[in-house]
Amino acid sequence: PTGGASGYRFALAPDGRRIAVARGFVGGRAPVALLFDVDSGRELFALAGHTESVGALAFDPTGARLATASSDG
């Protein structure tokens, strides 16, 4: 499942154990995609580098890879 609201996007890993949340330019902060453990709420990884808001993100069918998309190319 994927979705989003108010400058945020999210994707749930196929196994339901991790969730990825992408934030656009919010409160003057740069775009970033964050990976969290669903059970503990612990942040596992931060993927920075986009210069424009992240418009989409998705896990591959195995949940091993996370793709992000932005208008920055």
Side-chain angles (χ1 to χ4, degrees), residues 26-66:
V26 176
R29 296 180 295 176
V32 66
L34 304 168
L35 184 64
F36 293 93
D37 178 86
V38 170
D39 290 333
S40 71
R42 184 173 62 97
E43 182 182 314
L44 302 173
F45 188 78
L47 177 63
H50 283 296
T51 58
E52 298 293 332
S53 293
V54 177
L57 67 163
F59 284 94
D60 77 336
T62 68
R65 292 185 177 94
L66 175 67

Side-chain angles (χ1 to χ4, degrees), residues 8-19:
Y8 290 85
R9 299 286 182 261
F10 66 87
L12 185 65
D15 64 7
R17 295 175 55 199
R18 289 163 291 129
I19 189 167

